[in-house]
Amino acid sequence: GREMGTAASLNPQTRYGLDVLTRIDYAAQAATGLKKLQQEVVACLNSLLEQLARQSAVARQQIYEIAVAGNPTMLHLLLGIDPHSIGRAPFQPVFTGARYLPAGEIGLAAAGCARLYCLPLVSGFIGADTVGGVLATSLDRGDGRRLFIDIGTNGEMVLSTPDGLW
């Protein structure tokens, strides 16, 4: 229940496009584009895992659960799933539900039995990063009206009212 370390990095995929639409095009146009984008983000996450393991004096082989949140394009690319359907109308992701899979399946360096949990998406433009923000701030609980703003590629907002989340 306590923070044991922090690590951050810029997205290394930006060399293939500064925005998600350019990266979606790169994944579709380049012969190995999707694989390259996946490898970039997995390598970045492995570097961050190594930094966190050093900070907390925990071996990576002792990391059994990894949870990730991101925009729909990032989660598709992380999992090696073609994101082209997000880049054109009707802008539908291949999946929206949470994903739970062996972390090693995509190359994450943790315990051999480590599991990767990807928070669910809402739509092609409202991602797991927004879902994670709602959960982290307990926006789905409590009275009154509150506003959560996710300033990122799309700038999502979630309004909590007594009638639900909007």
Side-chain angles (χ1 to χ4, degrees):
R2 65 182 172 86
E3 185 177 294
M4 296 177 66
T6 61
S9 176
L10 294 175
N11 185 348
Q13 295 175 335
T14 56
R15 75 183 98 208
Y16 304 99
L18 294 177
D19 57 73
V20 294
L21 291 176
T22 307
R23 284 182 231 138
I24 289 170
D25 283 343
Y26 180 82
Q29 301 301 323
T32 59
L34 178 59
K35 188 67 175 166
K36 185 69 171 165
L37 291 172
Q38 180 187 34
Q39 289 170 338
E40 290 281 353
V41 71
V42 168
C44 180
L45 291 176
N46 280 334
S47 174
L48 294 172
L49 282 170
E50 180 62 33
Q51 291 175 46
L52 290 170
R54 273 196 316 270
Q55 285 178 32
S56 61
V58 171
R60 282 197 289 181
Q61 294 73 24
Q62 293 177 298
I63 299 172
Y64 301 106
E65 296 280 336
I66 302 169
V68 297
N71 67 51
T73 301
M74 282 303 303
L75 286 186
H76 279 62
L77 294 174
L78 171 65
L79 298 176
I81 298 172
D82 184 354
H84 81 274
S85 62
I86 302 171
R88 48 182 75 93
F91 309 105
Q92 294 295 319
V94 172
F95 68 93
T96 54
R99 292 290 178 112
Y100 199 55
L101 60 140
E105 191 174 291
I106 64 164
L108 290 177
C113 62
R115 303 287 293 177
L116 172 67
Y117 176 71
C118 299
L119 275 72
L121 309 172
V122 176
S123 70
F125 290 107
I126 303 173
D129 47 350
T130 302
V131 172
V134 167
L135 294 174
T137 59
S138 300
L139 197 68
D140 57 329
R141 298 185 200 108
D143 299 327
R145 287 176 169 72
R146 296 180 294 153
L147 182 65
F148 172 80
I149 302 173
D150 176 2
I151 300 174
T153 303
N154 297 327
E156 301 90 349
M157 294 185 285
V158 180
L159 176 64
S160 174
T161 72
D163 297 323
L165 299 176
W166 303 88

